[in-house]
Amino acid sequence: MPVDAATPWRENLAALGLDLPPVAAPVAAYIPAIRTGSLVYTSGQIPIVDGALPFVGKAGEEISLEQATEAARICALNALAAVHDLVGLDEVVRIVKVVGFVASAPGFTDQPLVVNGASNLFGEVFGPAGVHARSAVGVSELPKNVPVEVELIAEVR
């Protein structure tokens, strides 16, 4: 479903008390997002806020489920910023796919709940056009010791 013009993403972000952050500078040899045809792929986005990492450690150990979920939400906002910087969020038709990686302590199995932090944000911002296919994967380590990394694929006009 296309984005409903009656509920534009800007108004939805404002209602959530959120602003799109500046795109985080890559920490290695990649670009934040790339377009091919009608799809935009983002690189994995970590929970950077104003150049700092508010969450570090593994979910289920140093990081609670609630903190990891908030980190996923920050990652999602950073992914939207990367899409916006490349093509503008006005061009988004729908969020197609989300992949969330969760640095997990042994025995932690709530990766889907953590990645809901990202999925819920996309739904709040884009409504039905934010509903997507998804993977939530537990991993042993992530860059900079962050608990979550999120990437997305968006269909654009």
Side-chain angles (χ1 to χ4, degrees), residues 64-143:
S64 69
L65 173 60
E66 294 75 20
Q67 290 171 315
T69 303
E70 178 59 23
R73 188 173 177 87
I74 294 167
C75 294
L77 190 62
N78 289 340
L80 290 179
V83 173
H84 185 65
D85 190 59
L86 184 66
V87 298
L89 288 184
D90 291 327
E91 298 302 309
V92 172
V93 174
R94 75 168 305 117
I95 304 300
V96 176
K97 173 80 184 227
V98 172
V99 180
F101 301 95
V102 181
S104 303
F108 183 82
T109 59
D110 284 333
Q111 293 84 3
L113 298 178
V114 170
V115 181
N116 279 350
S119 294
N120 291 341
L121 179 70
F122 297 136
E124 292 165 345
V125 172
F126 292 110
V131 177
H132 51 269
R134 186 182 89 177
S135 299
V137 182
V139 298
S140 62
E141 300 289 337
L142 285 170

Side-chain angles (χ1 to χ4, degrees), residues 6-100:
T7 56
W9 64 269
R10 282 184 180 87
E11 290 178 16
N12 293 341
L13 277 178
L16 295 168
L18 299 172
D19 291 311
L20 284 178
V23 177
V27 297
Y30 62 88
I31 56 176
I34 191 165
R35 180 179 184 162
T36 182
S38 63
L39 298 175
V40 171
Y41 292 75
T42 68
S43 295
Q45 300 295 311
I46 61 177
I48 294 177
V49 178
D50 296 327
L53 297 171
F55 302 105
V56 292
K58 290 184 177 28
E61 196 166 90
E62 301 95 344
I63 301 295
S64 69
L65 173 60
E66 294 75 20
Q67 290 171 315
T69 303
E70 178 59 23
R73 188 173 177 87
I74 294 167
C75 294
L77 190 62
N78 289 340
L80 290 179
V83 173
H84 185 65
D85 190 59
L86 184 66
V87 298
L89 288 184
D90 291 327
E91 298 302 309
V92 172
V93 174
R94 75 168 305 117
I95 304 300
V96 176
K97 173 80 184 227
V98 172
V99 180

